[in-house]
């Protein structure tokens, strides 16, 4: 078992803000050899990203609370659970994954008031909260959530499908989201994340558009020299002042 020195809001607040974060999607790990992959990435990952899907809000099923509970015992790094689920179950799902060990729960803006209730519940249970936006949803949909979250994640591809190319709208949407955070006076308190279409040629573009973390899949897990890959990631500069 690995000791976790910080959890919940404290773990998220402690994330570095002076460089691009490395958020590793465990969807791209070797699920048959998860313990080996977790050991390999532990020195490089800033936070683990775990997608949860109910086969209704998004195609297919993805990870369950017992999976998160096992991961939480094997890492000292924060765990970010992205709930891609329908509004009627989002609150109960938030509870289950926080009880399993999630430090940060992100719900979809498309969940509306149920998403806001799930965020309030997450904070009651000692976790941090975030909001995620599908590619086709206007960026303005994050506005009701801005005062309540520490993460805003914009999807740059259609939800729940691996291997897609980054949408040409993704960078402009990041810039728009950053403007909304600045207008709300919360730019320094919220981490802006990009998820989907993360490739060697797209990460610099997303960083320049204001992304503070990118959700890495094969770009991390498929790289034999992970140290060099993460050094490259950390060296990318933002054009956002």
């Amino acid at each position: 078992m690995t000791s976790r020195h910080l959890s919940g809001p404290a773990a998220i607040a402690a994330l570095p803000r002076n460089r691009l974060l490395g958020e590793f999607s465990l969807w791209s790990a070797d699920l048959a050899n998860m313990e080996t992959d977790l050991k390999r990435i532990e020195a490089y990952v800033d936070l683990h990203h775990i997608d949860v899907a109910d086969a209704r809000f998004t195609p297919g099923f993805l990870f369950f609370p017992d999976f998160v509970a096992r991961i939480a015992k094997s890492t000292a790094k924060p765990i970010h659970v992205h709930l891609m689920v329908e509004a009627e179950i989002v609150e109960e799902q938030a509870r289950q994954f926080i009880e399993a060990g999630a430090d940060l729960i992100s719900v979809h803006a498309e969940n509306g008031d149920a998403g806001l209730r799930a965020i309030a519940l997450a904070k009651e249970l000692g976790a941090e909260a975030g909001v995620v936006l599908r590619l086709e949803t206007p960026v303005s949909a994050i506005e009701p959530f801005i005062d309540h979250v520490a993460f805003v994640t914009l999807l740059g591809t259609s939800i729940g499908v691996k291997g897609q190319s980054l949408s040409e709208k993704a960078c402009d949407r990041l810039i728009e989201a950053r403007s909304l955070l600045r207008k709300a006076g919360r730019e320094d308190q919220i981490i802006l994340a990009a998820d989907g279409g993360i490739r060697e040629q797209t990460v610099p573009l997303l960083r320049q558009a204001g992304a503070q973390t990118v959700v890495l899949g094969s770009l991390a897990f498929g790289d034999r020299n992970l140290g060099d890959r993460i050094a490259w990631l950390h060296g990318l500069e933002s054009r956002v002042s």
Side-chain angles (χ1 to χ4, degrees):
M1 180 179 291
T2 301
S3 176
R4 304 180 74 200
H5 303 295
L6 295 173
S7 62
I12 302 307
L15 291 170
R17 300 297 292 266
N18 61 342
R19 59 165 173 77
L20 187 60
L21 299 174
E23 186 170 354
F24 284 39
S25 173
L26 296 185
W27 192 7
S28 292
D30 182 348
L31 300 183
N33 297 283
M34 179 61 72
E35 187 174 5
T36 299
D37 259 0
L38 286 173
K39 288 179 179 178
R40 183 171 77 92
I41 68 175
E42 184 73 10
Y44 306 107
V45 61
D46 287 304
L47 68 164
H48 299 290
H49 185 101
I50 297 177
D51 288 306
V52 174
D54 63 358
R56 292 180 60 199
F57 189 82
T58 184
F61 288 104
L62 283 170
F63 304 122
F64 307 98
D66 57 349
F67 176 80
V68 172
R70 293 292 298 272
I71 299 302
K73 294 178 180 179
S74 302
T75 181
K77 301 300 177 70
I79 295 172
H80 179 189
V81 170
H82 169 199
L83 294 178
M84 300 184 289
V85 302
E86 294 286 355
E88 59 261 32
I89 65 170
V90 68
E91 292 169 79
E92 182 56 30
Q93 289 284 283
R95 179 186 296 278
Q96 290 183 25
F97 281 96
I98 291 166
E99 290 175 350
D103 298 286
L104 169 65
I105 293 284
S106 282
V107 304
H108 269 265
E110 295 85 2
N111 287 153
D113 289 342
L116 288 168
R117 292 194 297 270
I119 285 170
L121 176 63
K123 294 190 173 186
E124 286 178 21
L125 296 176
E128 190 53 272
V131 65
V132 188
L133 207 60
R134 297 174 75 134
L135 180 62
E136 64 270 20
T137 303
V139 175
S140 59
I142 67 171
E143 290 186 277
F145 296 83
I146 288 176
D147 288 338
H148 310 288
V149 299
F151 256 65
V152 169
T153 302
L154 300 189
L155 301 186
T157 58
S158 297
I159 195 168
V161 181
K162 276 187 174 184
Q164 300 176 76
S165 297
L166 184 71
S167 168
E168 61 183 15
K169 301 183 293 185
C171 290
D172 287 342
R173 286 168 61 83
L174 284 169
I175 292 168
E176 183 179 353
R178 174 66 59 195
S179 177
L180 291 176
L181 300 184
R182 185 178 298 121
K183 181 181 177 181
R186 299 219 64 221
E187 185 179 15
D188 294 337
Q189 288 78 48
I190 293 177
I191 291 174
L192 185 58
D195 184 2
I198 305 302
R199 304 286 185 270
E200 186 167 11
Q201 66 271 26
T202 63
V203 174
L205 300 176
L206 294 165
R207 177 58 169 159
Q208 289 169 10
Q212 293 165 289
T213 181
V214 291
V215 180
L216 301 166
S218 59
L219 192 62
F221 286 100
D223 198 317
R224 294 184 178 181
N225 195 332
L226 193 52
D228 284 353
R229 171 61 68 195
I230 298 305
W232 166 80
L233 187 86
H234 291 171
L236 296 174
E237 295 185 0
S238 176
R239 289 182 180 172
V240 177
S241 57

